[in-house]
């Protein structure tokens, strides 16, 4: 009886220890999302990865998600910082859609202890497509919206900060005050800091697929993008990769990048798709 009691105590201790040993998970929502949009993902993580502390950052929803991205980076960082300070072994950061671009700003521009960054259907190389515009700015088309986005006033809109028009690259580099800076394509005094912060990551997970229907091209979720003829150039053929401008090639060569191409998932379904959650997210939460 005493031996059985000791065994029960030992198993109980092991269960509690294993449950509390997981890194905290922080989730950042996308453009236009509501307060409850990512609750399902949070619940699935807590159900299938028992003991994981999950934080869905509850700010800047709806219209507020159109605020300039540098403002959002600072706002989300302020909410994430207390979690990082409590997590001596680091945290896991999940960014959905625009949230993934915001998370990348946090990873590169600010001090952090993020060990794993999961980018869930996020336009990491930029966005250029009508389907996306119709969701937010139905009065514009991709061929002409650069006239608004590539201006000092236009850059006050989050979407404009990662709008990457392959036919107007001169204006993109002149006016875009976010994405080309994260790519380290513009000379700044903090260029090396961005790269070193990015290289703190022990794992980068990129999730996207051909039926997304919103991220355009969908390969942007894997750091691919259009050339001037709107042919897709894959990640490893991008200049920021070949020149290793912010550390992407270094992570790749160190086998720290995992890429998932998942067909049959529409953009707003990524964080509700059980197969995606089970196969692409849960394995990286230990």
């Amino acid at each position: 009886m005493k031996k059985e009691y000791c065994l029960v105590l030992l198993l109980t201790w092991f269960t509690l220890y294993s449950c509390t040993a997981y890194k905290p998970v922080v989730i950042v929502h996308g453009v236009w999302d509501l307060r409850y949009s990512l609750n399902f993902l949070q619940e699935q993580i807590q159900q299938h990865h028992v003991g994981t502390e999950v934080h869905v950052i509850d700010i800047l929803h709806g219209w507020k998600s159109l605020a300039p991205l540098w403002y959002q980076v600072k706002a989300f960082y302020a909410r994430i910082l207390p979690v990082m300070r409590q997590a001596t072994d680091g945290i896991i950061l999940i960014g959905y859609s625009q949230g993934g671009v915001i998370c990348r700003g946090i990873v590169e521009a600010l001090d952090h202890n993020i060990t794993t960054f999961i980018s869930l259907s996020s336009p990491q190389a930029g966005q250029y497509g009508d389907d996306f515009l119709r969701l937010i700015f139905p009065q514009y088309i991709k061929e002409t919206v650069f006239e608004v986005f590539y201006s000092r006033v236009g850059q006050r809109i989050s979407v404009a900060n990662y709008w990457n028009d392959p036919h107007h690259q001169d204006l993109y580099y002149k006016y875009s005050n976010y994405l080309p800076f994260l790519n380290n394509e513009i000379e700044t005094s903090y260029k090396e800091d961005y790269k070193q912060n990015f290289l703190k990551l022990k794992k980068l997970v990129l999730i996207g697929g051909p039926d997304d229907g919103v991220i355009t091209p969908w390969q942007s979720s894997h750091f691919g993008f259009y050339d001037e003829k709107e042919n897709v150039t894959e990640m490893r053929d991008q200049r920021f990769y070949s020149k290793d401008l912010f550390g992407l090639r270094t992570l790749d060569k160190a086998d720290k990048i995992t890429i998932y191409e998942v067909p049959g998932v529409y953009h707003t379904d990524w964080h509700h798709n059980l197969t995606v959650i089970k196969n692409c997210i849960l394995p990286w939460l230990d």
Side-chain angles (χ1 to χ4, degrees):
M1 187 71 180
K2 184 177 181 181
K3 187 180 292 185
E4 291 176 352
Y5 179 73
C6 290
L7 181 60
V8 170
L9 284 178
L10 182 63
L11 289 173
T12 301
W13 176 86
F14 179 80
T15 301
L16 289 172
Y17 177 80
S18 61
C19 287
T20 56
Y22 296 135
K23 295 181 179 70
V25 174
V26 175
I27 306 175
V28 174
H29 67 77
V31 69
W32 219 245
D33 279 337
L34 302 176
R35 294 181 183 277
Y36 54 81
S37 296
L38 291 165
N39 285 0
F40 182 79
L41 175 57
Q42 178 185 30
E43 291 164 1
Q44 289 301 307
I45 292 173
Q46 291 173 328
Q47 178 181 338
H48 296 287
H49 208 263
V50 178
T52 302
E53 179 184 319
V54 184
H55 304 265
V56 178
I57 307 302
D58 188 18
I59 58 172
L60 298 171
H61 301 281
W63 281 103
K64 293 179 181 178
S65 67
L66 295 177
L69 287 192
W70 283 122
Y71 170 82
Q72 296 202 49
V73 164
K74 293 176 182 178
F76 278 102
Y77 182 72
R79 294 295 186 94
I80 297 171
L81 190 56
V83 181
M84 290 195 290
R85 285 174 173 166
Q86 291 293 321
T88 56
D89 293 330
I91 72 165
I92 295 167
L93 187 61
I94 302 175
Y96 164 63
S97 193
Q98 177 178 277
V101 184
I102 293 170
C103 288
R104 192 174 148 212
I106 293 171
V107 167
E108 291 191 36
L110 299 166
D111 185 41
H112 69 84
N113 63 351
I114 300 161
T115 60
T116 300
F117 171 30
I118 301 174
S119 175
L120 181 59
S121 186
S122 177
Q124 295 295 350
Q127 172 71 25
Y128 182 71
D130 283 328
D131 289 340
F132 179 81
L133 277 179
R134 290 191 189 103
L135 295 176
I136 308 169
F137 305 106
Q139 69 272 35
Y140 293 115
I141 58 174
K142 66 180 183 180
E143 288 83 4
T144 59
V145 75
F146 76 91
E147 297 174 349
V148 177
F149 283 175
Y150 293 157
S151 67
R152 289 181 177 83
V153 174
Q155 285 296 302
R156 296 176 184 174
I157 304 170
S158 66
V159 177
N161 296 158
Y162 52 92
W163 186 259
N164 190 357
D165 189 327
H167 307 293
H168 296 90
Q169 289 289 281
D170 55 337
L171 295 177
Y172 167 70
Y173 288 115
K174 179 179 180 179
Y175 287 102
S176 185
N177 61 21
Y178 190 79
L179 189 59
F181 286 89
L182 290 188
N183 289 340
N184 266 345
E185 296 173 298
I186 296 174
E187 288 294 331
T188 63
S189 60
Y190 38 84
K191 191 172 183 178
E192 189 59 28
D193 291 337
Y194 279 15
K195 185 173 183 177
Q196 292 307 313
N197 284 338
F198 190 79
L199 290 175
K200 289 181 181 179
L201 294 176
K202 295 180 180 179
K203 194 68 186 181
L204 172 63
V205 180
L206 303 173
I207 305 170
D211 301 305
D212 182 274
V214 172
I215 302 302
T216 314
W218 70 266
Q219 291 91 339
S220 182
S221 59
H222 298 158
F223 281 99
F225 205 70
Y226 292 129
D227 62 16
E228 65 278 2
K229 295 181 180 179
E230 294 191 31
N231 297 315
V232 174
T233 301
E234 301 297 338
M235 177 184 78
R236 293 180 179 91
D237 295 320
Q238 294 287 341
R239 179 177 174 272
F240 54 67
Y241 179 94
S242 62
K243 299 289 187 181
D244 204 25
L245 295 182
F246 61 91
L248 191 64
R249 188 183 69 186
T250 297
L251 283 189
D252 190 30
K253 296 297 184 181
D255 199 28
K256 293 181 178 180
I257 300 179
T258 296
I259 297 175
Y260 292 101
E261 179 180 331
V262 186
V265 182
Y266 184 69
H267 186 68
T268 55
D269 295 331
W270 287 103
H271 49 296
H272 292 94
N273 188 289
L274 289 174
T275 300
V276 171
I277 295 171
K278 179 181 178 181
N279 296 337
C280 308
I281 296 176
L282 292 180
W284 306 107
L285 303 187
D286 292 339

